[in-house]
């Protein structure tokens, strides 16, 4: 029996193939305008052309940029080395230690208008720093140190109003430092050391209220050091220009200042004494003259390093500075004295002997004798004064005793009051911004695409949230409360970072209040909490100083691994 013949599926298949080819042709037509990224987001033509221009001008002897292929189909999928995208826009170029040469394309860089981070340090790139940096308003981190950049720093960098860190040290830059480099009210780190910069230091730079780290050493800077530190400019014009600037980091003042090995002259500015948080000060190898301001004695408690050697200073060294830092910090100043046993200050001349009065004058100016009534009143006044003093001492003793007994009655109440005080101090410090940072700390925007906030406490470290999130890390240990990492920041600094487990930690408000209390604790035998980070998804990171020689427990028990007992004390407090 013959069955009816089925229709051939060939026409259907041909139609499907035709539609597929039409779609491919349409994609090819748009290939020069949009390229699909690995996450389904397209890359703009401007960003694609900008990356190609940068690749064209860079020399790549080791072939690291081979992944930057001509099609750009995988530019934002992670296949292009050092490229990070958000919603199809390039936000980060990170290519340190790659042996790159050539120059940095001005046209290519100017087309990446959403760029937030440019890290090309420790390469062999030459030529000028592109003026097109001024077209990058979102740029937060600029790391060009240890290259061969030359020419002047472009004044257009003032257009980078969100800049937080600028490091161009170890290059061949010349010319004056543009005042516009301090336009960003979020700038916390500026390092232009080891170049050939000349002319005077702009007052706008030293008057910045946000700077924590300023290094202009080993240049050819001249003139006087502006007396405008801690946001107190010496001219009314400068004051008006800076009055309305409020740094995202709050009222922070310099922690690190180095102007060593320049040709600066004039006196040491009095405004340096307003830097209450200054820890390292180096003014050595200049032509400074005059005396060391006696008010610098007020910084002795916070200063850890102080050097004014090899200048033309004169006069006596403030006693507390001489005792703490010793001869090496003051040597090379011929007219300076009082900083060591071999350089005593000359004794002040004794007053001239008075001419004895004649007998007639002695009689006319003799002592007046008090009457009996006057003597009784004087004695009574003295007795009453002593009684009043004793009464005050008794009241003070009673007050202290009552305060001590009430303070030790309930530990819980004391802890609660500490948290409330920390919260109040936090609100005062950030009242102008409507934020809620920790006491003695300031909030810093994430600088990355994930959001969150970073809260700094007093300390020598000055880093952004991008620096922390992009740091290379290795695990040092784990515990019930989380994992500890040894993190290497962009500038090579080492910190210990504790990532807390999300399920066992407290809510954001309680965590911030208790972290603010811990951040205020400073003791020689306790590891200081330097900063903490709160992520948008509940991540909590604690940042401590890295201790390279291990802990006391490891030393006593001969262990080779790093004991985390000190960190665990902090974590117990935050999680309990």
């Amino acid at each position: 029996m013959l069955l009816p013949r089925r229709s051939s599926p060939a026409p259907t298949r041909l139609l499907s193939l035709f539609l597929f080819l039409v779609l491919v042709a349409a994609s090819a037509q748009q290939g020069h305008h949009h390229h699909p990224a690995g996450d389904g987001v397209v890359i703009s033509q401007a960003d694609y052309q900008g990356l190609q221009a940068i690749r064209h001008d860079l020399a790549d002897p080791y072939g690291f940029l081979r992944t930057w292929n001509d099609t750009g189909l995988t530019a934002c999928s992670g296949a292009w080395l050092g490229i990070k995208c958000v919603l199809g826009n390039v936000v980060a170029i990170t290519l340190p230690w790659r042996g790159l040469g050539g120059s940095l394309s001005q046209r290519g860089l100017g087309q990446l208008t959403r760029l937030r981070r440019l890290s090309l340090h420790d390469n062999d790139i030459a030529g000028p720093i592109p003026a097109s940096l001024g077209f990058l308003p979102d740029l937060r981190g600029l790391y060009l140190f240890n290259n061969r950049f030359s020419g002047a720093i472009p004044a257009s960098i003032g257009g980078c109003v969100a800049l937080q860190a600028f490091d161009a040290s170890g290059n061949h830059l010349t010319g004056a430092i543009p005042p516009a480099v301090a336009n960003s009210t979020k700038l916390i780190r500026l390092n232009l050391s080891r170049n050939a910069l000349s002319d005077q230091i702009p007052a706008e730079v030293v008057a910045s209220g946000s700077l924590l780290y300023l290094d202009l050493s080993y240049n050819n800077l001249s003139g006087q050091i502006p007396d405008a530190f801690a946001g107190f400019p010496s001219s009314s014009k400068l004051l008006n220009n800076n009055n309305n600037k409020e740094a995202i980091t709050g009222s922070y003042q310099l922690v690190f200042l180095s102007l060593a090995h320049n040709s600066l002259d004039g006196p040491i500015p009095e405004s340096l004494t307003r830097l209450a948080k200054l820890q390292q000060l180096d003014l050595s190898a200049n032509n400074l003259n005059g005396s060391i301001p006696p008010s610098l004695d007020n910084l002795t408690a916070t200063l850890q390093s102080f050097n004014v050697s090899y200048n033309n200073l004169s006069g006596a060294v403030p006693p507390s500075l001489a005792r703490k830092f010793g001869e090496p910090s003051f040597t090379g100043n011929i007219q300076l004295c009082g900083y060591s046993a071999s350089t005593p200050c000359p004794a002040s001349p004794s007053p001239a002997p008075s001419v004895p009065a004649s007998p007639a004058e002695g009689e006319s100016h003799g002592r007046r004798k008090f009457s009996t009534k006057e003597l009784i009143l004087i004695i009574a006044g003295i007795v009453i004064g002593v009684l009043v003093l004793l009464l005050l001492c008794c009241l003070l003793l009673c007050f202290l005793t009552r305060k001590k007994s009430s303070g030790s009655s309930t530990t819980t109440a004391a802890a609660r009051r500490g948290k409330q005080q920390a919260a109040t101090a936090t609100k005062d410090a950030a009242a102008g911004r409507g934020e809620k940072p920790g006491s003695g700390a300031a909030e810093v925007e994430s600088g990355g695409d994930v959001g969150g906030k970073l809260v700094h406490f007093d300390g020598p470290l000055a880093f952004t949230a991008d620096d922390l999130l992009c740091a290379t890390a290795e695990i040092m240990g784990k515990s019930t409360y989380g994992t500890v990492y040894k993190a290497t920041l962009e500038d090579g600094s080492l910190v210990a970072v504790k990532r807390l487990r999300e399920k066992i930690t407290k809510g954001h408000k309680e965590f911030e209040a208790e972290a603010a209390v811990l951040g205020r604790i400073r003791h020689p035998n306790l590891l200081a909490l330097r900063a903490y980070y709160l992520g948008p998804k509940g991540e909590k990171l604690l940042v401590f100083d890295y201790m390279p020689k291990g802990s006391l427990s490891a030393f006593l028990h001969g262990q080779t691994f790093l004991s985390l007992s000190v960190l665990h004390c902090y974590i117990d407090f935050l999680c309990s």
Side-chain angles (χ1 to χ4, degrees):
M1 179 178 178
L2 297 175
L3 297 173
R5 190 175 179 182
R6 295 182 179 177
S7 60
S8 173
T12 304
R13 292 179 180 176
L14 289 175
L15 179 61
S16 300
L17 180 61
F18 175 75
L19 292 176
F20 174 74
L21 291 176
V22 169
L23 290 174
V24 170
S27 297
Q29 276 186 334
Q30 296 179 356
H32 294 286
H33 189 75
H34 290 94
H35 302 277
D39 55 0
V41 181
V42 295
I43 183 172
S44 68
Q45 182 184 15
D47 282 29
Y48 172 73
Q49 291 179 348
L51 291 177
Q52 289 299 315
I54 291 174
R55 179 191 179 190
H56 179 270
D57 288 0
L58 288 176
D60 183 24
Y62 301 103
F64 287 110
L65 302 184
R66 270 183 222 151
T67 56
W68 293 24
N69 56 58
D70 293 332
T71 63
L73 294 175
T74 58
C76 291
S77 65
W80 284 33
L81 180 68
I83 299 301
K84 181 180 179 182
C85 301
V86 173
L87 300 178
N89 295 309
V90 177
V91 297
I93 301 178
T94 308
L95 293 168
W97 299 98
R98 304 295 180 182
L100 301 175
S103 61
L104 189 55
S105 171
Q106 175 160 299
R107 178 178 67 87
L109 192 62
Q111 290 182 265
L112 306 178
T113 55
R114 297 298 181 188
L115 193 66
R116 300 173 182 173
R117 180 185 184 86
L118 179 62
S119 179
L120 299 173
H121 64 83
D122 292 286
N123 282 291
D124 199 34
I125 304 173
I129 296 177
S132 55
L133 283 172
F135 298 114
L136 310 179
D138 294 332
L139 190 66
R140 290 165 169 82
L142 182 58
Y143 305 97
L144 306 177
F145 56 92
N146 294 341
N147 278 284
R148 293 193 298 116
F149 286 104
S150 58
I153 300 173
S156 60
I157 198 172
C160 304
V161 293
L163 194 63
Q164 297 177 4
F166 178 29
D167 193 335
S169 58
N171 283 283
H172 307 301
L173 299 175
T174 56
I177 300 174
V181 76
N183 279 4
S184 171
T185 58
K186 303 176 184 180
L187 187 66
I188 63 176
R189 183 181 181 89
L190 179 61
N191 189 351
L192 302 176
S193 62
R194 299 185 183 277
N195 282 285
L197 299 171
S198 57
D199 212 337
Q200 297 185 348
I201 300 174
E204 290 84 352
V205 172
V206 300
S208 172
S210 61
L211 269 178
L212 297 180
Y213 185 104
L214 177 60
D215 191 350
L216 304 178
S217 60
Y218 292 92
N219 280 288
N220 299 322
L221 300 172
S222 58
Q224 296 188 6
I225 302 174
D227 193 7
F229 287 96
F232 290 88
S234 55
S235 67
S236 59
K237 179 180 178 181
L238 182 61
L239 181 61
N240 293 333
N241 290 340
N242 286 273
N243 249 353
N244 297 325
K245 292 185 177 182
E246 182 180 359
I248 191 68
T249 50
S251 58
Y252 270 159
Q253 296 172 351
L254 279 176
V255 172
F256 179 98
L257 174 62
S258 178
L259 306 177
H261 293 271
N262 282 286
S263 300
L264 301 170
D265 54 28
I268 297 176
E270 287 283 348
S271 59
L272 279 174
T273 61
R274 301 190 185 103
L275 301 177
K277 300 178 182 179
L278 192 63
Q279 296 183 11
Q280 299 185 49
L281 175 61
D282 191 350
L283 304 177
S284 61
N286 281 286
N287 298 315
L288 301 176
N289 52 51
S291 61
I292 299 176
S295 51
L296 280 180
D297 254 358
N298 301 332
L299 302 182
T300 308
T302 58
L303 276 175
Q304 299 174 3
S305 175
F306 179 81
N307 194 348
V308 292
S309 60
Y310 297 100
N311 281 283
N312 298 320
L313 298 172
S314 58
V317 174
S320 62
L321 291 177
R323 285 193 300 268
K324 184 169 183 177
F325 299 107
E327 185 173 353
S329 295
F330 306 98
T331 189
N333 295 279
I334 300 177
Q335 301 181 49
L336 207 59
C337 65
Y339 57 86
S340 68
S342 59
T343 57
C345 292
S348 57
S350 57
S354 58
V355 180
S358 62
E361 287 183 5
E363 290 179 1
S364 62
H365 295 87
R367 295 180 180 178
R368 184 176 70 88
K369 293 183 178 181
F370 293 103
S371 64
T372 304
K373 184 177 181 181
E374 290 175 335
L375 288 174
I376 293 174
L377 291 175
I378 292 174
I379 295 173
I382 294 174
V383 171
I384 293 173
V386 171
L387 292 176
V388 171
L389 183 60
L390 290 175
L391 180 60
L392 290 176
C393 290
C394 292
L395 292 175
L396 180 61
L397 183 60
C398 293
F399 175 75
L400 292 176
T401 305
R402 182 176 302 173
K403 184 178 179 181
K404 182 177 180 181
S405 61
S406 62
S408 61
S409 61
T410 55
T411 307
T412 306
R416 188 179 300 111
R417 286 196 301 272
K419 294 175 185 177
Q420 293 173 352
Q421 291 173 359
T424 303
T426 300
K427 293 176 182 177
D428 293 341
R433 302 189 300 273
E435 299 173 348
K436 193 176 180 182
S439 177
E443 296 183 17
V444 180
E445 292 179 349
S446 167
D449 56 290
V450 296
K453 70 177 180 180
L454 175 68
V455 177
H456 276 280
F457 299 104
D458 297 345
L461 296 176
F463 55 88
T464 65
D466 269 341
D467 292 333
L468 183 62
L469 297 178
C470 296
T472 58
E474 58 181 275
I475 296 178
M476 294 197 300
K478 296 183 178 180
S479 71
T480 307
Y481 300 107
T483 305
V484 178
Y485 301 87
K486 180 176 78 172
T488 305
L489 300 179
E490 187 79 36
D491 61 355
S493 302
L494 295 177
V495 293
V497 179
K498 179 79 172 185
R499 182 185 180 94
L500 303 181
R501 292 181 60 187
E502 298 178 11
K503 294 183 179 179
I504 65 171
T505 55
K506 299 180 177 181
H508 274 28
K509 292 184 179 180
E510 295 175 331
F511 175 82
E512 287 187 76
E514 295 182 357
V517 174
L518 290 177
R520 298 168 59 191
I521 297 175
R522 293 293 181 267
H523 190 276
N525 297 330
L526 288 179
L527 197 59
L529 178 62
R530 296 301 186 190
Y532 68 84
Y533 172 78
L534 290 175
K537 298 181 180 179
E539 314 96 290
K540 298 180 179 69
L541 304 180
L542 301 176
V543 183
F544 299 86
D545 291 329
Y546 172 68
M547 297 290 138
K549 296 184 179 180
S551 67
L552 177 61
S553 175
F555 176 77
L556 293 176
H557 300 289
Q559 298 170 337
T560 58
F561 60 90
L562 176 64
S563 173
L564 305 175
S565 56
V566 176
L567 289 182
H568 291 167
C569 292
Y570 284 104
I571 310 310
D572 291 342
F573 180 78
L574 289 172
C575 299
S576 59

